[in-house]
Amino acid sequence: MPRATYRERIKNVLCVLAQNDQETIPYAQFLERVETSMLLDLMVMHRGVDGLIRKAILCERCAHRIKFVSKLDGSIDLTLTPSGSKYFKNYGIVCLHHEDLRVLEKFTSRQLRKETRILNRVLENIHNVLLENGTQAFTPSCIEDIPAAVARVVQKMRSLGETNTELTSILAEERSVERATRAIQRDDHADD
């Protein structure tokens, strides 16, 4: 399994804070939690790690999900903003309907089961298509891997499209050279 990026690690720690309704944490303690998550993954700590962690934290600050609050004793607290708290409480959760819609509240359990069966059939069909038409590199092992597999297929299709365009232009150039060569040969034979 690939290692989490620094930004994903930051988000995971912030997600745990939000889900535990902990809006504020001392910055030093927050850094300890991030470094602990790295050590648990057996990552080697090097000089540049602090800068990469700071850069990932600044991305969240620029997104207005966190803010830094200086205290009188000189220490700094990292605080989740209201939008950040909402974002991290729902981080990683897929919502099929807009959260303001009350559609799901009005569904009966029978209707929910029906919607679930429909979605499962759609996902199974996508999975089967990928299994039938994909190579081993694009075949998802389970339904949860479908988004990544589709992203790989789309990227490969883009790459193949670019390659096709390049090859088509090369072929067109070679055909024009071939036509020009035939025309010159005809002119030489006509002069004889």
Side-chain angles (χ1 to χ4, degrees):
M1 184 174 168
R3 293 181 176 166
T5 64
Y6 294 103
R7 190 151 184 205
E8 288 169 342
R9 287 180 190 286
I10 299 298
K11 285 185 176 187
N12 289 337
V13 172
L14 291 170
C15 181
V16 170
L17 291 174
Q19 290 173 353
N20 292 333
D21 292 323
Q22 186 179 356
E23 302 290 321
T24 301
I25 184 171
Y27 184 64
Q29 186 180 352
F30 176 78
L31 289 177
E32 282 180 26
R33 288 189 183 189
V34 173
E35 290 172 358
T36 302
S37 77
M38 294 171 65
L39 292 174
L40 290 173
D41 282 346
L42 303 176
M43 287 186 68
V44 178
M45 301 295 282
H46 54 83
R47 261 186 267 153
V49 169
D50 291 336
L52 294 170
I53 291 172
R54 250 185 261 114
K55 187 176 179 181
I57 290 171
L58 288 177
C59 288
E60 295 305 317
R61 185 178 180 202
C62 289
H64 302 288
R65 294 186 189 122
I66 61 170
K67 62 182 177 180
F68 296 109
V69 178
S70 297
K71 296 190 330 188
L72 293 175
D73 63 359
S75 63
I76 298 173
D77 282 349
L78 186 142
T79 304
L80 292 172
T81 63
S83 63
S85 180
K86 182 178 178 181
Y87 174 82
F88 289 114
K89 281 182 181 176
N90 297 316
Y91 180 69
I93 297 172
V94 177
C95 184
L96 298 177
H97 295 283
H98 192 276
E99 62 186 37
D100 293 338
L101 295 176
R102 302 286 184 213
V103 172
L104 294 178
E105 291 176 6
K106 296 177 183 176
F107 277 9
T108 63
S109 59
R110 174 183 247 165
Q111 289 171 319
L112 284 172
R113 282 194 299 273
K114 179 182 174 187
E115 290 294 317
T116 303
R117 281 194 303 273
I118 291 169
L119 288 172
N120 280 335
R121 269 189 250 123
V122 168
L123 289 172
E124 287 171 4
N125 288 339
I126 292 171
H127 189 249
N128 290 336
V129 167
L130 288 171
L131 287 173
E132 292 169 6
N133 300 322
T135 60
Q136 189 66 24
F138 300 117
T139 305
S141 59
C142 61
I143 289 178
E144 288 80 12
D145 295 337
I146 288 176
V150 170
R152 286 193 303 270
V153 169
V154 168
Q155 181 61 36
K156 185 66 174 176
M157 288 175 61
R158 284 185 185 139
S159 174
L160 290 173
E162 291 170 4
T163 304
N164 186 35
T165 303
E166 291 173 13
L167 291 173
T168 303
S169 65
I170 291 170
L171 179 63
E173 288 175 21
E174 288 179 359
R175 285 185 177 168
S176 66
V177 168
E178 187 179 318
R179 278 189 233 114
T181 305
R182 277 194 231 142
I184 291 171
Q185 288 174 349
R186 271 188 252 131
D187 289 342
D188 287 343
H189 288 303
D191 290 339
D192 291 341

